[in-house]
Amino acid sequence: MEVDFAFICDYAHAGQKLSAIGIGFNTIAARQLPAVHPQFHMVAQLRASVAEAGQKDFTIRLIDADGKDVVPAISGKFNVPRVEGATEATGRLAVAFNNTRFPAYAHYSLHLVVQGTEMVRIPLRVVAAPASGNHHGQKGSQDS
Protein backbone atom coordinates (compact mmCIF):
# COMPACT_ATOMS: atom_id res chain seq x y z
CA MET A 1 0.00 0.00 0.00
CA GLU A 2 1.25 3.47 -0.91
CA VAL A 3 0.20 6.99 0.00
CA ASP A 4 -0.95 9.03 -3.01
CA PHE A 5 -1.28 12.17 -0.88
CA ALA A 6 -1.96 13.35 2.64
CA PHE A 7 -2.62 16.83 4.01
CA ILE A 8 -4.32 18.93 6.67
CA CYS A 9 -7.23 21.16 5.65
CA ASP A 10 -10.10 23.15 7.10
CA TYR A 11 -12.82 20.68 6.03
CA ALA A 12 -13.01 17.48 3.99
CA HIS A 13 -15.40 14.71 3.01
CA ALA A 14 -14.21 11.42 1.55
CA GLY A 15 -16.60 9.42 -0.61
CA GLN A 16 -16.35 8.33 -4.24
CA LYS A 17 -14.78 11.75 -4.71
CA LEU A 18 -12.75 13.68 -2.20
CA SER A 19 -13.88 17.22 -1.35
CA ALA A 20 -11.60 19.48 0.67
CA ILE A 21 -11.46 23.17 1.59
CA GLY A 22 -8.44 25.11 2.85
CA ILE A 23 -5.92 22.49 1.73
CA GLY A 24 -2.40 22.14 2.98
CA PHE A 25 -1.79 24.45 5.90
CA ASN A 26 0.89 23.52 8.42
CA THR A 27 0.83 26.41 10.89
CA ILE A 28 -1.76 27.64 13.37
CA ALA A 29 -1.26 31.17 14.71
CA ALA A 30 -2.74 31.63 18.18
CA ARG A 31 -3.20 34.73 20.31
CA GLN A 32 -2.93 32.88 23.63
CA LEU A 33 -2.29 29.52 25.23
CA PRO A 34 -3.68 27.01 25.43
CA ALA A 35 -4.65 27.48 21.78
CA VAL A 36 -7.94 25.92 20.75
CA HIS A 37 -8.41 25.34 17.03
CA PRO A 38 -12.11 24.87 16.19
CA GLN A 39 -11.77 22.32 13.37
CA PHE A 40 -9.36 20.79 10.91
CA HIS A 41 -9.26 17.51 8.99
CA MET A 42 -6.49 15.09 8.16
CA VAL A 43 -6.92 13.66 4.66
CA ALA A 44 -5.15 10.74 3.01
CA GLN A 45 -5.56 8.74 -0.15
CA LEU A 46 -3.94 5.31 -0.25
CA ARG A 47 -3.44 3.06 -3.26
CA ALA A 48 -3.18 -0.70 -2.94
CA SER A 49 -2.98 -3.74 -5.17
CA VAL A 50 -6.27 -5.59 -5.61
CA ALA A 51 -4.84 -8.28 -3.33
CA GLU A 52 -4.71 -5.68 -0.53
CA ALA A 53 -8.25 -4.33 -1.11
CA GLY A 54 -10.83 -4.47 1.67
CA GLN A 55 -11.44 -3.06 5.14
CA LYS A 56 -8.37 -1.54 6.78
CA ASP A 57 -7.77 -0.58 10.40
CA PHE A 58 -6.27 2.86 10.98
CA THR A 59 -5.05 4.96 13.87
CA ILE A 60 -4.22 8.65 13.79
CA ARG A 61 -2.13 10.20 16.53
CA LEU A 62 -1.57 13.92 17.06
CA ILE A 63 1.63 14.12 19.06
CA ASP A 64 3.95 16.76 20.47
CA ALA A 65 7.74 16.91 20.02
CA ASP A 66 8.17 14.49 22.96
CA GLY A 67 5.91 11.88 21.31
CA LYS A 68 3.06 12.45 23.77
CA ASP A 69 -0.52 12.39 22.54
CA VAL A 70 -2.14 15.84 22.41
CA VAL A 71 -5.58 14.22 22.06
CA PRO A 72 -6.55 10.57 22.42
CA ALA A 73 -5.63 8.51 19.35
CA ILE A 74 -8.40 8.17 16.76
CA SER A 75 -8.95 4.63 15.52
CA GLY A 76 -11.37 3.19 13.01
CA LYS A 77 -11.76 1.41 9.71
CA PHE A 78 -11.89 2.55 6.13
CA ASN A 79 -12.48 0.67 2.90
CA VAL A 80 -10.16 0.19 -0.02
CA PRO A 81 -12.78 -1.00 -2.53
CA ARG A 82 -11.95 -3.53 -5.20
CA VAL A 83 -12.82 -2.36 -8.71
CA GLU A 84 -13.75 -5.09 -11.19
CA GLY A 85 -11.04 -5.47 -13.84
CA ALA A 86 -8.61 -3.05 -12.15
CA THR A 87 -5.17 -3.95 -10.81
CA GLU A 88 -5.21 -1.26 -8.11
CA ALA A 89 -7.67 -0.04 -5.51
CA THR A 90 -7.93 3.38 -3.85
CA GLY A 91 -9.07 4.18 -0.32
CA ARG A 92 -9.75 7.66 1.03
CA LEU A 93 -9.81 8.88 4.59
CA ALA A 94 -10.92 12.24 6.03
CA VAL A 95 -10.85 12.55 9.83
CA ALA A 96 -12.05 15.61 11.75
CA PHE A 97 -10.34 17.13 14.76
CA ASN A 98 -12.72 19.41 16.66
CA ASN A 99 -11.83 21.99 19.31
CA THR A 100 -8.28 20.69 19.52
CA ARG A 101 -6.38 22.18 22.45
CA PHE A 102 -2.67 22.83 21.92
CA PRO A 103 -0.92 23.49 25.25
CA ALA A 104 2.17 25.28 23.89
CA TYR A 105 3.65 27.13 20.96
CA ALA A 106 5.52 24.16 19.54
CA HIS A 107 5.93 21.60 16.79
CA TYR A 108 3.40 18.77 16.56
CA SER A 109 2.71 16.07 14.00
CA LEU A 110 -0.10 13.85 12.79
CA HIS A 111 0.77 10.18 12.26
CA LEU A 112 -1.39 7.82 10.19
CA VAL A 113 -0.93 4.11 10.89
CA VAL A 114 -2.73 1.59 8.66
CA GLN A 115 -2.75 -2.10 9.53
CA GLY A 116 0.06 -1.49 12.03
CA THR A 117 2.35 0.34 9.56
CA GLU A 118 3.01 4.07 9.75
CA MET A 119 2.03 5.43 6.34
CA VAL A 120 2.51 9.17 6.74
CA ARG A 121 3.59 11.96 9.10
CA ILE A 122 2.37 15.50 8.64
CA PRO A 123 4.06 18.32 10.57
CA LEU A 124 1.92 20.98 12.26
CA ARG A 125 3.16 23.86 14.36
CA VAL A 126 1.49 26.33 16.64
CA VAL A 127 3.03 29.79 16.80
CA ALA A 128 2.23 33.08 18.50
CA ALA A 129 0.02 35.21 16.26
CA PRO A 130 1.76 38.30 14.94
CA ALA A 131 0.38 41.54 16.30
CA SER A 132 -0.81 42.57 12.82
CA GLY A 133 -2.89 39.40 12.21
CA ASN A 134 -2.39 36.23 10.17
CA HIS A 135 0.38 35.72 7.64
CA HIS A 136 0.04 33.77 4.43
CA GLY A 137 -0.05 30.00 5.06
CA GLN A 138 -1.15 30.31 8.67
CA LYS A 139 -4.54 29.51 10.13
CA GLY A 140 -5.84 31.62 12.98
CA SER A 141 -6.93 29.88 16.14
CA GLN A 142 -9.76 30.88 18.39
CA ASP A 143 -8.92 31.88 21.90
CA SER A 144 -10.05 29.43 24.55
Side-chain angles (χ1 to χ4, degrees), residues 54-110:
Q55 287 289 110
K56 302 296 177 192
D57 294 321
F58 76 88
T59 301
I60 297 174
R61 292 182 60 211
L62 173 59
I63 63 171
D64 64 17
D66 294 326
K68 296 179 183 162
D69 288 314
V70 175
V71 297
I74 298 171
S75 294
K77 293 185 181 293
F78 74 103
N79 190 35
V80 180
R82 179 178 286 224
V83 177
E84 190 65 33
T87 60
E88 293 185 321
T90 301
R92 295 178 186 95
L93 184 64
V95 177
F97 288 79
N98 295 306
N99 296 315
T100 303
R101 181 179 296 272
F102 295 93
Y105 299 125
H107 291 264
Y108 300 90
S109 62
L110 287 155

Side-chain angles (χ1 to χ4, degrees), residues 7-143:
F7 55 84
I8 301 169
C9 64
D10 292 328
Y11 174 81
H13 173 75
Q16 285 191 356
K17 290 184 177 182
L18 177 65
S19 298
I21 299 171
I23 297 171
F25 68 87
N26 64 1
T27 303
I28 296 170
R31 291 185 292 273
Q32 67 183 38
L33 293 174
V36 178
H37 197 68
Q39 183 179 63
F40 63 90
H41 284 71
M42 179 185 178
V43 175
Q45 178 171 295
L46 297 113
R47 184 169 310 279
S49 71
V50 291
E52 295 176 293
Q55 287 289 110
K56 302 296 177 192
D57 294 321
F58 76 88
T59 301
I60 297 174
R61 292 182 60 211
L62 173 59
I63 63 171
D64 64 17
D66 294 326
K68 296 179 183 162
D69 288 314
V70 175
V71 297
I74 298 171
S75 294
K77 293 185 181 293
F78 74 103
N79 190 35
V80 180
R82 179 178 286 224
V83 177
E84 190 65 33
T87 60
E88 293 185 321
T90 301
R92 295 178 186 95
L93 184 64
V95 177
F97 288 79
N98 295 306
N99 296 315
T100 303
R101 181 179 296 272
F102 295 93
Y105 299 125
H107 291 264
Y108 300 90
S109 62
L110 287 155
H111 294 244
L112 171 62
V113 175
V114 177
Q115 297 295 111
T117 301
E118 183 176 83
M119 300 302 295
V120 69
R121 281 182 242 158
I122 303 173
L124 177 64
R125 64 189 183 124
V126 176
V127 299
S132 63
N134 291 341
H135 281 132
H136 180 72
Q138 296 182 348
K139 296 299 298 178
S141 182
Q142 291 184 347
D143 295 332

